[in-house]
């Protein structure tokens, strides 16, 4: 259960972290910004677009595994709905966070990743009673 709480706190810190607004966002400006600001969050936030897409699919995958393990009494639907709520909260919150973008595709990607995590847990890790 502690692992789930730590993951959720880290997830919220990362997804609600403001993204600095650069004047032009040209590749040179972004490269200079990343060179002078060694913050890991910034390096991930300004990652290549394809890496961001992959990250969205993987964002709630660990959550699905952790919630399935920590709360085995929750049904598959309850676990999936919790992922929907978390993803919805993140995407709606990002509307008001500087430099962040709320996106339906991100929401769907997050939920899809959680669904895959739940299915993998059910297939390979489910505790036998």
């Amino acid at each position: 259960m502690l692992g789930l709480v730590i993951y959720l706190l880290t997830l919220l810190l990362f997804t609600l972290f403001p993204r600095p607004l650069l004047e032009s966002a040209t590749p040179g400006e972004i490269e200079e910004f990343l060179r002078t600001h060694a913050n890991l969050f910034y390096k991930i936030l300004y990652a290549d677009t394809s890496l961001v897409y992959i990250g969205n699919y993987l964002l709630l995958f660990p959550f699905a595994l952790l919630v399935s393990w920590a709360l085995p009494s929750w049904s598959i639907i309850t676990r999936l709905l919790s992922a929907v709520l978390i993803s919805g909260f993140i995407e709606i919150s990002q509307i008001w966070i500087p430099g962040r973008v709320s996106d339906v595709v991100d929401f769907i990607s997050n939920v899809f990743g959680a669904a895959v995590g739940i299915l993998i847990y059910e297939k390979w890790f489910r505790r036998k009673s």
Side-chain angles (χ1 to χ4, degrees):
M1 184 62 113
L2 180 61
L4 177 61
V5 171
I6 291 170
Y7 176 78
L8 285 172
L9 290 173
T10 304
L11 174 74
L12 292 175
L13 284 173
F14 176 73
T15 57
L16 302 179
F17 195 78
R19 180 176 172 174
L21 302 172
L22 302 178
E23 289 183 28
S24 67
T26 63
E29 184 181 10
I30 292 172
E31 184 178 321
E32 175 63 20
F33 177 81
L34 293 177
R35 190 181 63 70
T36 59
H37 296 77
N39 189 318
L40 177 64
F41 286 127
Y42 292 139
K43 291 182 182 191
I44 294 170
L45 290 172
Y46 284 106
D48 181 87
T49 304
S50 60
L51 294 176
V52 173
Y53 288 139
I54 292 168
N56 280 323
Y57 283 106
L58 297 176
L59 189 68
L60 292 182
F61 181 83
F63 166 76
L65 293 176
L66 288 167
V67 79
S68 295
W69 178 77
L71 302 165
S73 63
W74 281 18
S75 70
I76 291 172
I77 297 298
T78 303
R79 288 179 267 160
L80 189 58
L81 285 175
S82 65
V84 166
L85 289 173
I86 290 170
S87 185
F89 172 78
I90 290 167
E91 293 306 319
I92 290 169
S93 296
Q94 287 181 344
I95 292 170
W96 296 284
I97 299 174
R100 300 308 295 256
V101 177
S102 179
D103 189 0
V104 172
V105 174
D106 291 354
F107 171 80
I108 293 168
S109 301
N110 296 161
V111 173
F112 180 80
V116 170
I118 291 167
L119 291 174
I120 287 174
Y121 177 84
E122 289 297 316
K123 176 81 174 162
W124 287 293
F125 300 110
R126 182 130 182 101
R127 295 181 192 166
K128 304 295 182 203
S129 299

